[in-house]
Amino acid sequence: MANIIWRPNPGPQIEYLASPAYEVLFGGRRGGGKSETSLADATRYVHHPRFAGIAFRQTYPELEQLIERSHKFYGGIGGSWNGTARTWRFPSGATIKFRHLKDANAYRQYLGHEYQWKLLS
C-alpha cells in the first residue's frame, strides 16, 4: 500500500491539479495551499530525464519555508537534496531549483534558461 503524504483539498487545489492548461494562475489568501499544490504538481514530471523546474520566492526567508515544505514531497519519491545549490535531483536526472529574486533585476540571470515548470510566488 502506498504511503500518502498529502491530499489536495476539494476546490481550487483539485481544480489546479486537474487542469489541462499550460499555465495555471492560483490566487488567494495566505494559507490557502497554493505553494503545496504547486510543489505536488511538479512530482508529475520528475520521471522525465530532461525535466527542469524552478521555484522563485521574493526573499530568502520565504524561500527557506518553501524548501522545508519541498522535503515532504520530494524526499519520499527518491529526490536528493543539495543544500548548497538549493536543488533537488531525481533518479531520472530531473531537477528542481529554488531561487530568490532579491531585487527587481534578479530575473535577468535566468533569461534564456529552459524550465518546463515554474513556481512564482
Side-chain angles (χ1 to χ4, degrees):
M1 180 181 273
N3 182 19
I4 299 171
I5 59 170
W6 182 82
R7 287 183 197 270
N9 292 323
Q13 288 182 333
I14 289 176
E15 290 171 19
Y16 170 3
L17 294 172
S19 175
Y22 177 71
E23 293 180 352
V24 177
L25 301 177
F26 187 179
R29 299 182 318 189
R30 284 186 169 188
K34 298 177 297 292
S35 296
E36 288 204 348
T37 305
S38 295
L39 293 172
D41 177 50
T43 64
R44 297 193 271 189
Y45 311 107
V46 298
H47 65 282
H48 292 286
R50 296 189 59 210
F51 174 76
I54 191 163
F56 291 107
R57 282 283 171 99
Q58 189 170 357
T59 67
Y60 185 71
E62 292 171 327
L63 186 66
E64 281 183 317
Q65 291 176 347
L66 189 64
I67 289 169
E68 287 175 23
R69 288 179 175 173
S70 76
H71 283 266
K72 177 167 83 172
F73 291 95
Y74 306 146
I77 59 170
S80 175
W81 174 246
N82 180 327
T84 304
R86 290 192 294 273
T87 301
W88 282 100
R89 181 168 300 279
F90 297 88
S92 67
T95 60
I96 299 176
K97 297 178 180 182
F98 288 78
R99 303 292 186 264
H100 63 92
L101 299 171
K102 59 186 171 220
D103 60 54
N105 292 313
Y107 75 92
R108 292 179 186 268
Q109 65 186 317
Y110 302 100
L111 293 176
H113 291 201
E114 184 178 326
Y115 296 102
Q116 293 73 43
W117 176 87
K118 297 176 195 105
L119 169 60
L120 307 167
S121 65

